[in-house]
Amino acid sequence: MLAEIKGLNEECGIFGIWGHAEAAQITYYGLHSLQHRGQEGAGIVVADGESLKGHKGLGLVTEVFSNGELQKLSGMAAIGHVRYSTAGGGGYENVQPLLFRSQSGSIALAHNGNLVNATDLKIRLEQQGSIFQTTSDTEVFAHLIRRSMAPTLKEQIKIALNYLEGAFAFLLLTETELYIALDPNGFRPLSIGRLGNAYVVASETCAFDIVGAAYEREVEPGELIIINEEGVHSERFAEKRTRLICSMEYIYFARPDSNVDGINIHTARKNLGKRLALEAPVEADVVTGVPDSSISVAIGYAEATGIPYELGLIKNRYVGRTFIQPSQSLREQGVKMKLSPVSGVVAGKRVVMVDDSIVRGTTSKRIVNMLREAGATEVHVRISSPPITHPCFYGIDMSTREELIAASHSVEEIRQLIGADSLAFLSPEGLLEAIGRPNDSPWRGQCMSCFTGKYPLNTFQELSQLTAKQ
């Protein structure tokens, strides 16, 4: 459930469309389908061929666009963003898309990911006279574009992208063009589809299903796509590196009905459960998953073991994901509001509780206690990921090893702290094999840094200093 993480930078959702008379409305529905990726803010910017205009605000998509704002956003192209704030911080000014105006034209930016060299770049830009209006690293990209001396915007964007290190999926909208870019390692998912004659792009394919679009392909790592009235043009701004898509997309972030780089999330999670059953079987009476991301895993575990799957935990659908809550006190209250044990299912039973991860351990401890209070005689915890022992610098909200219980405790010590009768994590090898992205295949690899401490990008002083402190 990842209910306990806090810290670094944003895991967000982005959506864009080109060539549709109701671009803003389509983007609204696309963002609504991506709401699970960020609940603190939302925004849409549209282009009508002559100007950019937008609306953004704090809150859910339905809250931000509740007073007729969409009707004022007319245009044939749009980009949108749902935000979960971390290192960049909260506040209205950091809600995206960020809109920049200049004599040479306006640009709007929407970004999912984290730039590991953002601080170094910002220092250099400030020394050259730049003034920043936000604390988001997304603004760094805009300054790099405008400081480029290249003759065209496309070349300015390509030069600016090559200054960036880290995980980034960018949508950039001008009055007459839509630009799409993915970092050379492809840390973040990004897909393109068609809606009639219109083109759509989204962080997850579930957004295509909601708006009625047909999936076409993935955006390639290191690719820059330009869409305008002349059609679609693709070129590279950097050579493709080994694909390192974030493991947490499969474990937790993405919706079960999404396909990430050709792999269905529900199927991947069921396979995680089956592999977990193979690696860590236990005698029990019932299997239950922590909603929502672990339900598919629990089904797979139950199928492989023959232990019945039951809804032993019920989620209150009117409470947001506790992972999204920015402060620890809010997260703690959110867990109590969010989940309820079903005593009629777990009372007098030996329960296998399946979850996606353990970060601090506080949430797992509360759920174990809730199940015991509901009458469970034993609670066996099974986790569909390896122990998270290292922080993430590429956009997942884990900033220091001090926040990670597995960084300083053994599995047995964690078991005692959360009060479980037994505890087992999935092995790194099991994770890769179950999802179907072995790292010995260069174009189907995953980022495993938070499990292994092996960071693919460590060329900048900022990152090396952070890892040295751990």
Side-chain angles (χ1 to χ4, degrees), residues 155-172:
E155 292 304 316
Q156 292 170 6
I157 291 171
K158 291 175 70 173
I159 291 171
L161 286 168
N162 278 286
Y163 278 103
L164 308 180
E165 283 288 352
F168 55 84
F170 275 112
L171 298 182
L172 186 152

Side-chain angles (χ1 to χ4, degrees), residues 8 23 37 83 104 125 138-139 148 167 169 192 219 224 237 268 270 301 313 324 334 358 360 380 387 401 429 457 466:
L8 189 63
R37 299 183 72 88
R83 173 176 171 78
S104 58
L125 288 165
T138 306
E139 190 178 1
S148 172
I192 293 179
V219 178
L224 176 65
F237 69 86
K270 275 192 68 176
Y301 190 96
L313 293 164
I324 301 298
I358 295 180
R360 286 189 177 84
H380 301 275
R401 290 193 72 183
E429 298 78 18
L457 303 175
L466 285 168

